[in-house]
Amino acid sequence: CIITMKLQWRSASAAVAATLLVALCVYFEAERTRGSAELLSPSPSPSGASSARLSKLAVSASVKKQLDQSRVPSSAQVRKPIDAVASLLAREQLYKAVAKHEATQRGREGDKKKGGPGFVAWTATLSSPAAQTDVEAQVKKRLLDNTSGYGSQIRQNLPPSFRRLLPALATQAAHEATSEAFRKLRSQMILAGQWDVGYLPRGNSLLNMPEKFAGKYIGDREGLGKACKKACEGRQACRGYTYNPSKGVCYLKTVDTPEGGFSCTGPDCWYWGQVLSHPHVQSLSIQDAQRDLGLYVTDLKVGTGEEIKKGDTVTMGYVGKLQDGSVFDQGKYVFEFGAGQVITGDDIGLKGMRVGGKRKLVVPPALAYGSQGYPGSIPPDATITFDVSLLGLSQEQLSGGYKASNDPD
C-alpha cells in the first residue's frame, strides 16, 4: 500500500486505477489485522471465524502453523509448571511420611527424645510401597486443591482448553514426581553408605544361603560385614550382600539395586548390606552359574562347526519343557548372542557350543522367567528345561530376536 500511494500518476485513468488499488490495499490490511487478532484469541475451535478468515485471506499453511503454535501451548509446556510443583510437593510429603514413621516408632517404644528422623525411619519409609502410594495420593490431592496456594496457582495459569484435563495431568505428575523423589533419596542414602538393601528381600540369593561362618560373627557387625564382603568378592555371581549382625548370617545376592521387604518388623529382621560392581550375570562362566545359581548344562552332541561368540547372529532350534515334561514352546529362534535377546540362561548355557551341537539346559527361575513366570505358559518360580541345537551362525545385523518357525529341526 505504501508503495502504491507513492506512485506518480501521469493520467486520469492511471490515477483512478491507483486509487482503487489503494482502497483494496487498505481493505485487505484491515481484514488481515482483524484475522490475526482472531487467530491469537483463545478460541479452541479451528473451524470457526478464524478458519473462515484464513480461507478468505489465503494465509499460507506455514503462517497458520506458526499462529496456531503461538495460540495453543503444547502439553509439554502445560505440564512443566505442574511437574515443578509436583516435584516440590513429593519431597515435602516424603519428609512428612518419614517424620510420621519416626513419631509412631518412638510412641511404641516410649522414646521421648528429640531430633530428626533416624536411619530406621528413613529406610523403612523408603522401603514401603504403602508409604509411596500414600505420598503420591497426597501430592495429587494438593495439586487439585483449589483452596491451596499451589492448586489455585496451577488452575489460574492453566489454559482454559486444558482445565478439563487437570485431573489426568495431576495424576501423571504426582506419580512421576513421587517415584523420582523416592528413587533420588534411596540413591543418596546408598552413596552415603547408609542404606543398600534395607529389609532382606526374598529371592535373588545365591544357592546354599545364608553364610553362617560357624557362628563366629554373632553380634559383631563390623566383623560380619568384612567377612560377607570377602565372600561376595570371591563369587562372580554375587552383585551385593545383606547381613544380620544379631544372627551372624550373610546372604549373597544376585542383584545390585536397592530392594525392600515389608513383612519384617522386629530388630532381628533388620539387615545391613552393600552393593558390589561385579560383572553382569551374562558374563558368568557355565561353572560359576552352576555353582552359584543352579544352571545345569549337558552336551548331548558336540558340534564340529564354528564356535559361537558374542555378537554372532544365532539360529537355534529349541524345545522348552516344564518340570513335569510338558512342552510349553518349540521352534527356531534367531537372535544376537550375548545381547540379552533371550533369557539369561540361554546366553550363559550356549557358551562354547559349535554349529551342529546339541545341549540340554536346566534353567533356574533366576535365569529364566523369575517370580513373574510367563502368563499362559510358564508358572511363577519355575525351573525349565531347553533341548537346544545350534543350527547356524551369521553376521546379520538384528534389532531384536524373533521366532523363525515352529519347527525346531
Side-chain angles (χ1 to χ4, degrees):
C1 292
I2 294 173
I3 294 173
T4 303
M5 288 186 288
K6 287 184 177 180
L7 291 175
Q8 300 295 321
W9 304 314
R10 298 183 179 180
S11 66
S13 60
V16 171
T19 302
L20 289 174
L21 185 57
V22 170
L24 286 172
C25 283
V26 172
Y27 170 76
F28 282 118
E29 178 65 13
E31 290 292 278
R32 186 190 68 78
T33 303
R34 182 166 54 152
S36 297
E38 289 178 357
L39 282 168
L40 294 172
S41 72
S43 171
S45 172
S47 60
S50 296
S51 294
R53 193 68 61 192
L54 280 169
S55 177
K56 184 174 181 180
L57 296 176
V59 177
S60 70
S62 61
V63 173
K64 179 180 182 297
K65 183 178 180 180
Q66 292 174 9
L67 291 173
D68 284 345
Q69 288 176 341
S70 67
R71 176 172 62 92
V72 181
S74 67
S75 58
Q77 290 172 320
V78 171
R79 273 286 304 273
K80 191 173 182 179
I82 299 176
D83 288 344
V85 173
S87 179
L88 179 65
L89 292 176
R91 292 195 297 270
E92 182 179 324
Q93 291 298 143
L94 175 52
Y95 294 143
K96 287 183 178 180
V98 173
K100 179 180 177 181
H101 185 282
E102 179 81 355
T104 301
Q105 190 67 26
R106 287 178 178 175
R108 288 175 183 167
E109 298 172 356
D111 187 354
K112 303 301 181 182
K113 68 179 181 180
K114 296 181 179 181
F119 170 80
V120 173
W122 277 107
T123 50
T125 303
L126 291 171
S127 297
S128 170
Q132 186 164 341
T133 299
D134 183 63
V135 168
E136 182 177 323
Q138 292 299 320
V139 172
K140 178 183 176 181
K141 180 180 179 181
R142 293 181 66 180
L143 288 173
L144 295 174
D145 185 1
N146 294 333
T147 63
S148 72
Y150 290 126
S152 60
Q153 179 183 353
I154 288 173
R155 185 167 288 273
Q156 287 173 6
N157 294 330
L158 196 66
S161 58
F162 280 88
R163 285 179 183 169
R164 62 185 177 82
L165 301 176
L166 182 55
L169 293 171
T171 298
Q172 185 177 4
H175 176 72
E176 293 177 0
T178 302
S179 298
E180 182 65 7
F182 272 70
R183 186 195 68 79
K184 280 187 174 180
L185 281 172
R186 288 186 187 119
S187 299
Q188 288 171 6
M189 295 192 76
I190 292 170
L191 294 173
Q194 294 178 301
W195 180 56
D196 293 294
V197 181
Y199 291 114
L200 176 69
R202 294 184 59 190
N204 300 317
S205 295
L206 273 58
L207 297 181
N208 305 315
M209 291 293 114
E211 293 275 9
K212 297 180 180 179
F213 305 108
K216 181 178 179 181
Y217 298 107
I218 295 176
D220 180 2
R221 177 186 161 192
E222 184 176 354
L224 179 61
K226 291 179 178 178
C228 208
K229 182 177 181 180
K230 183 178 180 180
C232 189
E233 289 174 339
R235 309 276 284 272
Q236 285 296 304
C238 182
R239 306 297 302 282
Y241 57 89
T242 55
Y243 58 100
N244 188 332
S246 65
K247 293 185 177 181
V249 298
C250 168
Y251 286 80
L252 306 184
K253 315 296 283 186
T254 62
V255 294
D256 60 356
T257 53
E259 296 190 37
F262 316 110
S263 61
C264 206
T265 56
D268 286 345
C269 297
W270 193 258
Y271 280 72
W272 306 83
Q274 185 174 346
V275 171
L276 298 183
S277 56
H278 270 190
H280 289 290
V281 174
Q282 283 178 338
S283 65
L284 288 177
S285 67
I286 292 177
Q287 292 73 22
D288 283 340
Q290 177 175 322
R291 181 191 68 175
D292 294 333
L293 303 176
L295 173 70
Y296 291 91
V297 178
T298 304
D299 276 307
L300 304 177
K301 176 184 176 181
V302 177
T304 57
E306 182 183 354
E307 183 174 344
I308 192 172
K309 61 182 181 299
K310 185 175 181 180
D312 283 342
T313 294
V314 176
T315 300
M316 177 183 73
Y318 69 95
V319 178
K321 301 176 184 178
L322 300 178
Q323 286 181 295
D324 62 5
S326 60
V327 175
F328 62 82
D329 192 18
Q330 65 178 21
K332 288 188 183 74
Y333 201 75
V334 180
F335 62 97
E336 181 182 338
F337 180 61
Q341 295 180 359
V342 289
I343 62 171
T344 307
D346 285 344
D347 268 337
I348 298 175
L350 297 181
K351 290 180 178 181
M353 280 193 79
R354 292 181 176 274
V355 174
K358 296 184 178 182
R359 279 182 179 176
K360 180 178 181 179
L361 311 180
V362 180
V363 187
L367 299 178
Y369 295 94
S371 60
Q372 300 300 314
Y374 194 91
S377 301
I378 302 171
D381 298 314
T383 296
I384 58 179
T385 298
F386 280 107
D387 293 324
V388 299
S389 303
L390 185 54
L391 302 176
L393 300 174
S394 75
Q395 300 304 313
E396 177 188 358
Q397 297 296 311
L398 293 179
S399 58
Y402 64 91
K403 188 174 183 178
S405 75
N406 292 320
D407 182 5
D409 297 322

Coordinates of all heavy atoms in Angstrom, one line a residue, residues 187-222:
S187 N 19.0 -43.4 46.3 CA 20.3 -43.3 45.8 C 21.3 -42.5 46.7 O 22.4 -42.8 46.8 CB 20.2 -42.6 44.4 OG 19.5 -43.4 43.5
Q188 N 20.7 -41.4 47.2 CA 21.6 -40.6 48.1 C 22.0 -41.4 49.4 O 23.1 -41.2 49.8 CB 20.8 -39.3 48.5 CG 20.6 -38.3 47.4 CD 19.6 -37.2 47.7 OE1 19.2 -37.1 48.9 NE2 19.3 -36.4 46.8
M189 N 21.1 -42.2 49.9 CA 21.5 -43.0 51.1 C 22.5 -44.1 50.7 O 23.4 -44.4 51.5 CB 20.2 -43.5 51.7 CG 19.3 -42.5 52.3 SD 18.0 -43.1 53.3 CE 18.9 -43.5 54.8
I190 N 22.3 -44.6 49.5 CA 23.3 -45.6 49.1 C 24.7 -45.0 49.0 O 25.7 -45.5 49.5 CB 22.9 -46.2 47.7 CG1 21.6 -47.0 47.9 CG2 24.0 -47.1 47.2 CD1 21.0 -47.5 46.6
L191 N 24.8 -43.8 48.3 CA 26.0 -43.1 48.1 C 26.6 -42.7 49.4 O 27.9 -42.7 49.6 CB 25.9 -41.9 47.2 CG 25.5 -42.2 45.8 CD1 25.2 -40.9 45.0 CD2 26.6 -43.0 45.1
A192 N 25.8 -42.4 50.4 CA 26.3 -42.1 51.7 C 26.7 -43.3 52.6 O 27.2 -43.1 53.7 CB 25.2 -41.2 52.5
G193 N 26.5 -44.5 52.0 CA 26.8 -45.7 52.7 C 25.8 -46.0 53.8 O 26.1 -46.8 54.7
Q194 N 24.6 -45.4 53.8 CA 23.7 -45.6 54.9 C 22.6 -46.7 54.6 O 22.0 -47.2 55.5 CB 23.0 -44.3 55.2 CG 23.9 -43.2 55.7 CD 23.1 -41.9 55.9 OE1 22.6 -41.3 55.0 NE2 23.1 -41.4 57.1
W195 N 22.4 -47.0 53.3 CA 21.4 -48.0 53.0 C 21.7 -48.6 51.7 O 21.9 -47.9 50.7 CB 20.0 -47.3 53.1 CG 18.9 -48.3 52.8 CD1 18.7 -49.4 53.4 CD2 17.9 -48.2 51.7 NE1 17.6 -50.1 52.9 CE2 17.1 -49.3 51.8 CE3 17.7 -47.3 50.7 CZ2 16.0 -49.5 51.0 CZ3 16.6 -47.5 49.9 CH2 15.8 -48.6 50.0
D196 N 21.6 -49.9 51.6 CA 21.7 -50.5 50.3 C 20.6 -51.5 49.9 O 20.1 -51.5 48.8 CB 23.0 -51.3 50.2 CG 24.2 -50.4 50.3 OD1 24.5 -49.7 49.4 OD2 24.9 -50.5 51.3
V197 N 20.2 -52.3 50.9 CA 19.1 -53.2 50.6 C 17.9 -53.1 51.6 O 16.8 -53.4 51.2 CB 19.7 -54.7 50.6 CG1 18.6 -55.7 50.3 CG2 20.8 -54.8 49.6
G198 N 18.1 -52.6 52.8 CA 17.0 -52.4 53.7 C 16.6 -53.8 54.2 O 17.5 -54.6 54.6
Y199 N 15.4 -54.0 54.4 CA 14.9 -55.3 54.9 C 15.3 -56.4 53.9 O 15.4 -56.1 52.7 CB 13.4 -55.3 55.0 CG 12.8 -54.5 56.1 CD1 12.1 -53.4 55.9 CD2 13.1 -54.8 57.5 CE1 11.5 -52.6 56.9 CE2 12.6 -54.1 58.5 CZ 11.8 -53.0 58.2 OH 11.3 -52.2 59.2
L200 N 15.7 -57.6 54.3 CA 16.1 -58.6 53.5 C 14.9 -59.1 52.5 O 13.9 -59.5 53.0 CB 16.6 -59.8 54.3 CG 17.0 -61.1 53.4 CD1 18.2 -60.8 52.7 CD2 17.1 -62.2 54.4
P201 N 15.1 -58.9 51.2 CA 14.0 -59.3 50.3 C 14.1 -60.8 50.1 O 15.2 -61.4 50.2 CB 14.3 -58.6 49.0 CG 15.8 -58.3 49.1 CD 16.2 -58.2 50.5
R202 N 13.0 -61.5 49.8 CA 13.0 -62.9 49.4 C 13.6 -63.0 48.0 O 13.5 -62.2 47.2 CB 11.6 -63.5 49.5 CG 11.0 -63.5 50.8 CD 9.7 -64.2 50.8 NE 9.8 -65.5 50.3 CZ 8.7 -66.3 49.9 NH1 7.5 -65.8 50.0 NH2 8.9 -67.5 49.4
G203 N 14.3 -64.2 47.8 CA 14.8 -64.5 46.5 C 16.1 -63.7 46.2 O 16.6 -63.0 47.0
N204 N 16.6 -63.9 44.9 CA 17.8 -63.3 44.4 C 19.0 -63.6 45.2 O 20.0 -62.9 45.1 CB 17.6 -61.7 44.4 CG 16.4 -61.3 43.5 OD1 16.3 -61.8 42.5 ND2 15.7 -60.3 44.0
S205 N 19.0 -64.7 45.9 CA 20.2 -65.1 46.7 C 20.9 -66.2 45.9 O 20.2 -67.0 45.2 CB 19.8 -65.7 48.1 OG 19.2 -64.6 48.9
L206 N 22.2 -66.3 46.1 CA 22.9 -67.5 45.6 C 22.5 -68.7 46.2 O 21.8 -68.7 47.3 CB 24.4 -67.2 45.7 CG 25.2 -66.4 44.7 CD1 24.6 -65.1 44.5 CD2 26.7 -66.4 45.0
L207 N 22.9 -69.9 45.7 CA 22.5 -71.2 46.3 C 23.2 -71.3 47.6 O 24.2 -70.8 47.9 CB 22.9 -72.3 45.3 CG 22.2 -72.4 44.0 CD1 22.7 -73.6 43.2 CD2 20.7 -72.4 44.1
N208 N 22.5 -72.1 48.5 CA 23.1 -72.5 49.8 C 23.3 -71.3 50.7 O 24.3 -71.3 51.4 CB 24.4 -73.3 49.6 CG 24.2 -74.5 48.7 OD1 23.2 -75.3 48.8 ND2 25.1 -74.7 47.7
M209 N 22.4 -70.4 50.7 CA 22.5 -69.3 51.6 C 21.6 -69.5 52.8 O 20.6 -70.3 52.7 CB 22.0 -68.0 50.9 CG 23.0 -67.5 49.8 SD 24.6 -66.9 50.5 CE 25.7 -68.2 49.9
P210 N 21.8 -69.0 54.0 CA 22.9 -67.9 54.3 C 24.2 -68.5 54.6 O 24.3 -69.7 55.0 CB 22.3 -67.2 55.4 CG 21.6 -68.3 56.2 CD 21.0 -69.2 55.2
E211 N 25.2 -67.7 54.5 CA 26.6 -68.0 55.0 C 26.5 -67.8 56.5 O 26.1 -66.7 57.0 CB 27.6 -67.1 54.4 CG 27.8 -67.3 52.9 CD 28.8 -68.4 52.7 OE1 29.2 -69.1 53.6 OE2 29.2 -68.6 51.5
K212 N 26.9 -68.7 57.3 CA 26.8 -68.6 58.8 C 28.1 -68.4 59.5 O 28.1 -68.0 60.7 CB 26.1 -69.9 59.4 CG 24.6 -70.0 58.8 CD 24.0 -71.3 59.4 CE 22.6 -71.4 58.9 NZ 21.9 -72.6 59.5
F213 N 29.2 -68.7 58.8 CA 30.5 -68.5 59.3 C 30.7 -69.2 60.7 O 31.4 -68.7 61.6 CB 30.9 -67.0 59.5 CG 30.7 -66.3 58.2 CD1 29.7 -65.4 58.0 CD2 31.6 -66.5 57.1 CE1 29.5 -64.7 56.8 CE2 31.5 -65.8 55.9 CZ 30.4 -64.9 55.8
A214 N 30.0 -70.3 60.8 CA 30.1 -71.2 62.1 C 29.8 -70.4 63.3 O 30.4 -70.6 64.4 CB 31.5 -71.8 62.2
G215 N 29.0 -69.4 63.2 CA 28.6 -68.6 64.4 C 29.6 -67.6 64.9 O 29.5 -67.1 66.0
K216 N 30.7 -67.4 64.1 CA 31.8 -66.6 64.6 C 31.5 -65.2 64.8 O 32.1 -64.5 65.6 CB 33.0 -66.8 63.6 CG 34.2 -66.1 63.9 CD 35.3 -66.3 62.9 CE 36.6 -65.6 63.2 NZ 37.7 -65.8 62.2
Y217 N 30.5 -64.6 64.0 CA 30.3 -63.2 64.0 C 29.0 -62.8 64.6 O 28.5 -61.7 64.3 CB 30.4 -62.7 62.5 CG 31.8 -62.9 61.9 CD1 32.0 -63.9 60.9 CD2 32.9 -62.2 62.3 CE1 33.2 -64.1 60.4 CE2 34.1 -62.4 61.8 CZ 34.3 -63.4 60.8 OH 35.5 -63.6 60.2
I218 N 28.4 -63.6 65.4 CA 27.1 -63.2 66.0 C 27.3 -62.0 66.9 O 28.2 -62.0 67.8 CB 26.5 -64.4 66.8 CG1 26.2 -65.5 65.9 CG2 25.3 -63.9 67.6 CD1 25.7 -66.8 66.6
G219 N 26.6 -60.9 66.6 CA 26.7 -59.7 67.4 C 27.9 -58.8 67.0 O 28.1 -57.7 67.5
D220 N 28.7 -59.2 66.0 CA 29.9 -58.5 65.6 C 29.5 -57.9 64.2 O 29.8 -58.5 63.2 CB 31.1 -59.4 65.5 CG 32.3 -58.6 65.1 OD1 32.3 -57.4 64.8 OD2 33.4 -59.3 64.9
R221 N 29.0 -56.7 64.2 CA 28.5 -56.1 62.9 C 29.7 -55.8 62.0 O 29.7 -56.1 60.8 CB 27.8 -54.8 63.1 CG 27.4 -54.1 61.8 CD 26.7 -52.8 62.1 NE 26.8 -52.0 60.9 CZ 26.5 -50.7 60.9 NH1 26.2 -50.0 62.0 NH2 26.6 -50.0 59.8
E222 N 30.8 -55.3 62.5 CA 32.0 -54.9 61.7 C 32.6 -56.2 61.1 O 33.0 -56.2 59.9 CB 33.0 -54.1 62.5 CG 34.2 -53.7 61.7 CD 35.1 -52.8 62.5 OE1 34.8 -52.5 63.7 OE2 36.2 -52.4 62.0

